[in-house]
């Protein structure tokens, strides 16, 4: 989305290699958004980074805390803002925006590092949980979920150029969480999912307003589209309801794609 001084939402590539006096355009921020841990946001982010690296783009993958990723776009490296700024990669893959940096770091939290890289014209990939958003503190705590002491300002979500919601059914997620010692009920997960879906719809509405302000030509769509992909079975009604709520909130068109299994029995 547009930011003060940025040239376009796809900024970043044009900032590298220039020698003019004009300030570099902002980089592009892509967030992999989820409603709880173990949803798959980090693997989705790293897998996309692998694809970018394979296509020839320079990707700086930050080493995650605690363990190495299972799939890498390249060797994972310790986080260092100055090192990234000096190298000027096409994309910096930072991990969670809510991560608190070690004592002595230039910035207190990772989202502040992301802002610095974006101002330098470097594209940023990062993950974010709805439980880490400042303005959702009361909604999250009302579900009995402990809210972290350090939170991410909501503008990081709503000003993201791309937002990918990494969704998973609460019944499936609870199994994954229990396997790693996380104790949450299906009801709590369902509540967090509702909050996250509302955030997604609000992001889409913000994107629609930004597009309208840009004065797109009449033959180009102004608003976003919500695409619901379903398959035969008992779940399409729930998926369609959630997609409809998001589309209504964002003033977006709703498209439905049905996947049929045509393999011989």
């Amino acid at each position: 989305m547009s930011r003060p001084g940025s040239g376009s939402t796809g900024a970043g590539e044009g900032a590298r290699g220039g020698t003019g006096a004009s300030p570099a355009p902002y980089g592009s921020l892509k967030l992999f958004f989820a409603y709880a841990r173990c949803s798959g946001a980090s693997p989705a982010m790293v897998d996309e980074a692998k694809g970018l690296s394979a296509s020839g783009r320079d990707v700086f993958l930050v080493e995650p805390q605690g363990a190495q990723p299972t799939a890498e776009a390249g060797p994972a490296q310790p986080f260092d803002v100055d090192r990234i700024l000096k190298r000027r990669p096409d994309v910096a893959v930072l991990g969670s925006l809510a991560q608190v940096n070690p004592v002595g770091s230039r910035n207190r939290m990772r989202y502040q590092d992301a802002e610095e890289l974006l101002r330098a014209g470097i594209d940023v990939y990062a993950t974010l949980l709805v439980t880490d958003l400042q303005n959702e503190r009361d909604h999250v705590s009302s579900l009995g979920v402990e809210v972290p002491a350090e939170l991410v300002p909501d503008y990081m979500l709503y000003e993201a150029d791309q937002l990918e919601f990494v969704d998973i059914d609460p019944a499936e997620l609870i199994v994954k969480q229990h396997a790693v010692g996380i104790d949450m009920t299906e009801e709590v997960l369902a509540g967090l999912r509702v909050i996250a879906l509302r955030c997604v719809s609000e992001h889409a509405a913000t994107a629609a307003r930004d597009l309208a302000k840009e004065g797109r030509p009449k033959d180009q769509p102004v608003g976003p589209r919500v695409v619901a992909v379903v398959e035969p079975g008992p779940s399409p009604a729930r998926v369609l309801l959630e997609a409809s709520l998001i589309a209504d909130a964002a003033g977006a068109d709703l498209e439905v794609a049905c996947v049929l299994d045509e393999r011989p029995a």
Side-chain angles (χ1 to χ4, degrees):
M1 300 193 184
S2 59
R3 301 180 182 89
S6 65
S8 68
T9 58
E13 295 185 33
R16 284 171 279 278
T19 58
S22 60
Y26 267 68
S28 176
L29 173 62
K30 179 166 185 176
L31 291 182
F32 294 79
F33 186 54
Y35 66 89
R37 291 176 58 190
C38 300
S39 296
S42 292
M45 176 183 66
V46 175
D47 284 347
E48 184 158 328
K50 285 179 58 181
L52 292 176
S53 182
S55 69
R57 299 193 70 187
D58 182 14
V59 177
F60 188 104
L61 178 63
V62 173
E63 181 180 286
Q65 284 188 329
Q68 294 290 327
T70 56
E72 296 180 355
Q77 304 175 62
F79 184 76
D80 184 331
V81 172
D82 289 323
R83 184 180 180 186
I84 299 175
L85 289 172
K86 182 178 180 180
R87 173 168 152 180
R88 298 192 65 79
D90 295 308
V91 182
V93 183
L94 302 187
S96 173
L97 288 183
Q99 182 169 314
V100 178
N101 290 326
V103 175
S105 299
R106 181 159 65 212
N107 296 311
R108 170 67 177 166
M109 294 184 67
R110 188 58 51 84
Y111 81 83
Q112 295 168 316
D113 298 320
E115 290 180 305
E116 189 169 350
L117 296 174
L118 290 167
R119 287 194 296 269
I122 298 171
D123 293 347
V124 170
Y125 277 21
T127 63
L128 181 64
L129 296 178
V130 71
T131 52
D132 291 323
L133 287 170
Q134 284 182 351
N135 286 354
E136 302 303 330
R137 177 196 300 265
D138 292 341
H139 296 117
V140 170
S141 61
S142 70
L143 296 172
V145 177
E146 184 177 355
V147 177
E150 303 279 359
L151 297 170
V152 177
D154 289 54
Y155 67 77
M156 292 299 297
L157 174 74
Y158 297 116
E159 292 185 2
D161 300 278
Q162 298 181 66
L163 181 66
E164 180 171 325
F165 182 47
V166 184
D167 195 16
I168 182 173
D169 188 273
E172 181 182 350
L173 179 56
I174 200 170
V175 175
K176 296 178 65 175
Q177 288 193 336
H178 284 175
V180 295
I182 300 176
D183 186 20
M184 300 184 78
T185 67
E186 188 173 336
E187 290 74 20
V188 168
L189 291 174
L192 291 174
R193 192 181 191 214
V194 169
I195 297 172
L197 285 168
R198 175 175 51 77
C199 291
V200 172
S201 69
E202 290 172 355
H203 178 275
T206 301
R209 289 193 294 270
D210 285 351
L211 288 173
K213 290 178 182 177
E214 291 178 8
R216 295 296 178 88
K218 293 182 179 180
D219 59 345
Q220 295 185 12
V222 174
R225 294 180 299 166
V226 174
V227 180
V229 181
V230 299
E231 57 185 6
S235 61
R238 175 182 55 79
V239 173
L240 292 174
L241 175 60
E242 292 173 350
S244 177
L245 291 173
I246 293 174
D248 287 344
D253 294 330
L254 174 61
E255 297 182 4
V256 179
C258 183
V259 179
L260 300 177
D261 188 352
E262 298 182 350
R263 292 174 296 180

